Amino acid sequence: MNTGMILRTLMTLAIAAVGSIAFGFFDIPGGVLMGAAFVVMIAAMLGAPVTMPDGVRNVLFVCVGLSMGANVAPDTLQLIGQWPVTLVALALELVVIVALCGWMLHRMFRFDSGTAFLSSFPGHLSFIMALATAGVGNPRQIVIIQVERVMALTLFAPIGALFLPVGQYAGASSEPMALHTLAIGVAGCALTGWIFTRLRMPAGYVLGSMLFATVMKLTGNFHGALPPLLVDLTFVGMGALIGSRFAGITRAEVVQAAWGGTVSMVLTITVTTLFALAVSRFVSMPIGQLWLGLSPGGLESMGALGIALGYDTAFIAAHHVARLLMLTLAIPIVVVALKRYSPPPAPRSVTPR
């Protein structure tokens, strides 16, 4: 990189850090990522020369995959076996949400298939945005729709809880990861990501590093938590990368994505509520507990509501872990299918027909 590119990259990262710190004051789930993306997006739309070079992007992709694998619960498989009926319902619910919202965004709002379906996955925002910035879909529109979903659930779930019958989820604390374990994880993720890239897999660095870290975690060879600073820097960098893609975006694109995000959010909440009501006929659990377990909100916020309302937080936590694991497996399959079988993107319009 030349000096000008280095300076622009450092400026972009500095703007992203300011956004992350600002959003951090509001305790919004994913606030570090969303704050960075939002502020860099505003800077880009105002004409600031924000940029993120490909080399930095690939490093961030490796860090995203590493973070995902490190956060997989080692006892995930045991947790999944405890609530078969509700977990089957969760899997079906995810299929309905992704299929319905993806179809709606593609057919009614004329998004290309990659943008439509990546916008519809309820979770793994950093992973989805890494795939989008690697060339699957339009990252500008995806981030607007995904951020709108997260913000809406964060704001409205506590309000909805007021109408449910009667606090921060406390998972088991983890020791810091040993430096030699972290070094092995980084090296393995980078190598696997490079191999996937050479094999022309979509978003090879993300998928390869995620696969390596997940296998290491589930086989008991990846103990401890990632350094919080590394995780925060990854999210700041990803936010900067996401926001920099807004350079040159038009008002029409923002309007289209916002309308699509609103309709998608309403569909997602409706489907979740209907599934919770249906499952309540087969299991002896409060409807509120079922809704919190099946909802596509963050584990932190849903777990906190579960404690406040006296629900079984183990149930809620297990289902959110299971949801993320299902998405971890499903997203790459859908992305590969989209890359292979999707027709050329249809022309976009501003309003739904």
Side-chain angles (χ1 to χ4, degrees), residues 260-310:
T262 299
V263 177
S264 180
M265 174 196 68
V266 172
L267 284 175
T268 298
I269 293 176
T270 301
V271 169
T272 301
T273 303
L274 292 176
F275 266 84
L277 290 171
V279 172
S280 67
R281 295 179 175 270
F282 299 95
V283 297
S284 299
M285 296 183 189
I287 184 66
Q289 177 174 303
L290 289 170
W291 195 91
L292 290 176
L294 296 176
S295 72
L299 170 59
E300 300 87 351
S301 56
M302 298 302 109
L305 285 172
I307 291 175
L309 296 171

Side-chain angles (χ1 to χ4, degrees), residues 12 23 45 50 59 62 65 100 143 198 255 269 272-273 277 279 306 334 346 353:
T12 304
F23 270 54
M45 295 177 67
V50 294
V59 171
V62 170
L100 185 60
V143 73
R198 297 288 292 178
V255 171
I269 293 176
T272 301
T273 303
L277 290 171
V279 172
V334 172
R353 57 185 184 182

Side-chain angles (χ1 to χ4, degrees), residues 139-182:
R140 299 169 176 176
Q141 294 171 325
I142 291 171
V143 73
I144 294 173
I145 295 172
Q146 287 283 4
V147 167
E148 186 174 348
R149 175 186 63 82
V150 174
M151 291 291 291
L153 284 166
T154 302
L155 294 173
F156 295 133
I159 298 174
L162 297 176
F163 301 94
L164 297 175
V166 194
Q168 185 176 11
Y169 172 68
S173 60
S174 184
E175 294 293 328
M177 184 175 292
L179 290 180
H180 69 275
T181 302
L182 178 60

